């Protein structure tokens, strides 16, 4: 059976155009900076995000970790959202590998960190305190609903950070979704940030890879750290070739994923027993709950959906996140709505 896979946009397989480009990619040893395809991808990424330089990394987790390791010294502190990927889902890398301490701040329902909360979390100079060094934002904020952060908010957060001698890093795993949803340029969204990580391997459909951008000096140090972590890759233009198509073409079609998420949410709202979050979807993620009177749990519904050819990952016993992406077409949206209808009957 061909499944409709809504577990994440990370499940996207490369397109045939990507596979062809990968097969034909000109390559070299990227540790020597000899891979023309990687060099082209990095130049293109830096240009699109309006930063001096970029670094191709194997994963978003490594990109975020490199940013933390470059910005912070051991014993320093990072202000992060308590619902952020960096805090919850990156295996505690900052503490384990960098001796960096997270200072979690509550994510507001719109994905932001309240500016007053950031300010209140900055440590005063005191021999007892860690030194606050960095603020991290996530755009789009995944757990808060795939919600995009605005450039106006990011500007304020950046000004606050810089006024207090802190750096600003953006985990922009889905920053292109954010830009498309708000009809602004990615450059504008990340302008106040000292560093940004974004993923090629999610809605942009590349099989592997993320990009870290920042100043030339920052990227030089991140390149060194990447080698230290074993992330220096060799003829990786094979993979970067797909990433170039992600940037040149896939960034332009994300609106289709958002429209299909909306269509899916509209269909699911009609089904008794399902409560779609108010406002959802903001981008390519539909969040919904089972209503209190539904006698089965999300895991049981998940199994029934699988029998109908739809794959979902329940968030908890009553909650689902459904993610649209390149391989979810209009028919897949209809199949999803029908499968939920059947599972709840
Ligand atoms: C918001 C966010 N940041 C970072 C990452 C990490 O990316 P990767 O899975 O490539 O390590 C993810 C992955 O899902 C994510 O959703």
């Amino acid at each position: 059976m061909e499944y409709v896979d809504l577990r994440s946009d990370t499940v996207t397989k490369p397109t045939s155009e990507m596979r062809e480009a990968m097969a034909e990619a000109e390559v070299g040893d990227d540790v020597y900076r000899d891979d023309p395809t990687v060099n082209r991808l990095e130049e293109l990424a830096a240009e699109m995000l309006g930063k001096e330089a970029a670094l191709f990394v194997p994963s978003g987790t490594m990109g975020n970790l490199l940013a933390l390791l470059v910005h912070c010294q051991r014993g320093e502190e990072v202000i992060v959202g308590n619902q952020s990927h960096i805090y919850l889902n990156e295996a505690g890398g900052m503490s384990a590998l960098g001796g960096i301490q997270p200072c979690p701040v509550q994510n507001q329902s719109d994905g932001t960190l309240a500016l007053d909360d950031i300010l209140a979390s900055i440590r005063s100079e005191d021999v007892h305190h860690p030194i606050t060094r960095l603020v991290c934002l996530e755009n789009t904020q995944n757990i808060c609903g795939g919600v995009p952060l605005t450039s106006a908010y990011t500007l304020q957060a950046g000004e606050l950070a810089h006024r207090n001698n802190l750096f600003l890093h953006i985990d922009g795993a889905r920053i292109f979704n954010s830009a498309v949803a708000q009809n602004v340029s990615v450059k504008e969204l990340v302008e106040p940030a000292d560093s940004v990580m974004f993923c090629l391997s999610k809605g942009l459909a590349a099989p592997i890879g993320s990009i870290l951008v920042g100043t030339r000096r920052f990227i030089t140090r991140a390149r060194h750290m990447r080698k230290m972590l074993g992330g220096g890759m060799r003829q990786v233009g094979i993979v970067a070739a797909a990433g170039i198509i992600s940037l040149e073409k896939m960034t332009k079609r994300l609106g289709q994923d958002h429209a299909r998420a909306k269509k899916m949410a509209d269909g699911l709202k009609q089904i008794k027993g399902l409560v779609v979050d108010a406002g959802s979807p903001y981008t390519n993620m539909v969040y919904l709950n089972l209503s209190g009177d539904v006698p089965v749990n999300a895991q049981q519904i998940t199994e029934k959906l699988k029998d109908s050819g739809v794959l979902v990952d329940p968030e908890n016993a009553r909650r689902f996140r459904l993610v649209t992406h390149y391989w979810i077409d209009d028919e897949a949206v209809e199949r999803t709505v029908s499968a939920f209808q059947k599972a709840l009957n």
Side-chain angles (χ1 to χ4, degrees):
M1 183 183 331
E2 200 170 310
Y3 286 103
V4 173
D5 196 341
L6 300 164
R7 291 172 298 168
S8 177
D9 44 14
T10 58
V11 302
T12 44
K13 293 176 185 163
T15 62
S16 31
E17 187 187 1
M18 283 179 175
R19 287 179 191 268
E20 267 172 45
M22 291 168 79
E24 287 164 13
E26 228 189 302
V27 295
D29 187 331
D30 182 48
V31 173
Y32 290 112
R33 313 285 298 275
D34 272 355
D35 192 305
T37 311
V38 173
N39 293 343
R40 196 146 62 85
L41 172 65
E42 290 179 345
E43 276 161 31
L44 180 61
E47 207 280 310
M48 286 175 82
L49 274 86
K51 302 293 179 196
E52 283 177 10
L55 182 70
F56 187 41
V57 291
S59 69
T61 300
M62 188 187 281
N64 281 333
L65 178 61
L66 291 175
L68 290 154
L69 292 176
V70 173
H71 287 308
C72 306
Q73 300 298 312
R74 299 182 74 79
E76 293 185 338
E77 200 168 52
V78 176
I79 296 173
V80 275
N82 68 346
Q83 300 300 314
S84 67
H85 198 277
I86 289 181
Y87 182 56
L88 295 176
N89 292 320
E90 297 190 1
M94 73 164 94
S95 316
L97 303 172
I100 302 161
Q101 174 165 298
C103 174
V105 163
Q106 190 187 347
N107 276 104
Q108 303 299 306
S109 58
D110 64 359
T112 62
L113 309 182
L115 297 176
D116 286 347
D117 289 348
I118 296 179
L119 196 57
S121 302
I122 300 171
R123 306 284 182 177
S124 56
E125 248 182 71
D126 183 312
V127 73
H128 300 89
H129 294 170
I131 296 165
T132 310
R133 183 65 67 203
L134 176 70
V135 177
C136 293
L137 300 176
E138 185 175 307
N139 193 1
T140 61
Q141 214 298 344
N142 183 343
I143 292 181
C144 294
V147 60
L149 271 51
T150 64
S151 50
Y153 167 76
T154 308
L155 187 63
Q156 285 181 307
E159 278 172 3
L160 191 160
H162 295 145
R163 226 180 13 253
N164 288 279
N165 297 319
L166 310 180
F167 297 110
L168 176 67
H169 172 70
I170 298 180
D171 172 352
R174 298 179 181 83
I175 195 74
F176 284 94
N177 292 87
S178 181
V180 165
Q182 301 181 83
N183 201 19
V184 295
S185 70
V186 164
K187 253 185 209 170
E188 180 184 326
L189 278 184
V190 304
E191 201 279 327
D194 299 286
S195 56
V196 186
M197 184 286 292
F198 72 90
C199 297
L200 299 163
S201 60
K202 299 193 165 62
L204 301 182
I208 303 170
S210 292
I211 300 274
L212 182 63
V213 297
T215 61
R216 223 165 257 120
R217 183 177 139 79
F218 170 86
I219 291 298
T220 301
R221 293 189 57 207
R223 193 177 291 281
H224 187 231
M225 288 284 181
R226 184 186 69 173
K227 192 77 185 81
M228 192 188 289
L229 295 181
M233 300 175 284
R234 302 296 179 176
Q235 286 72 29
V236 72
I238 295 260
V239 181
I244 291 172
I245 294 172
S246 292
L247 287 181
E248 288 181 340
K249 300 208 167 154
M250 294 296 174
T251 51
K252 298 195 171 72
R253 57 152 307 284
L254 292 172
Q256 293 176 30
D257 299 342
H258 301 177
R260 290 194 173 108
K262 170 89 173 60
K263 200 168 146 199
M264 190 178 285
D266 289 344
L268 295 172
K269 278 179 196 164
Q270 308 307 316
I271 299 175
K272 198 173 161 307
L274 296 181
V275 184
V276 176
D277 281 12
S280 184
Y282 299 97
T283 51
N284 66 333
M285 295 178 180
V286 181
Y287 275 90
L288 63 150
N289 288 309
L290 294 174
S291 59
D293 55 348
V294 173
V296 287
N297 63 30
Q299 190 53 48
Q300 289 162 299
I301 297 287
T302 298
E303 280 153 29
K304 290 185 185 191
L305 291 172
K306 189 170 181 189
D307 292 341
S308 301
V310 175
L311 300 180
V312 301
D313 222 358
E315 291 287 294
N316 64 34
R318 310 295 296 175
R319 187 163 175 76
F320 299 96
R321 181 192 73 165
L322 314 177
V323 187
T324 57
H325 51 75
Y326 183 81
W327 296 104
I328 302 298
D329 59 11
D330 290 330
E331 195 205 325
V333 172
E334 280 161 30
R335 274 179 69 192
T336 303
V337 176
S338 308
F340 266 98
Q341 182 89 62
K342 191 170 159 204
L344 280 147
N345 263 337

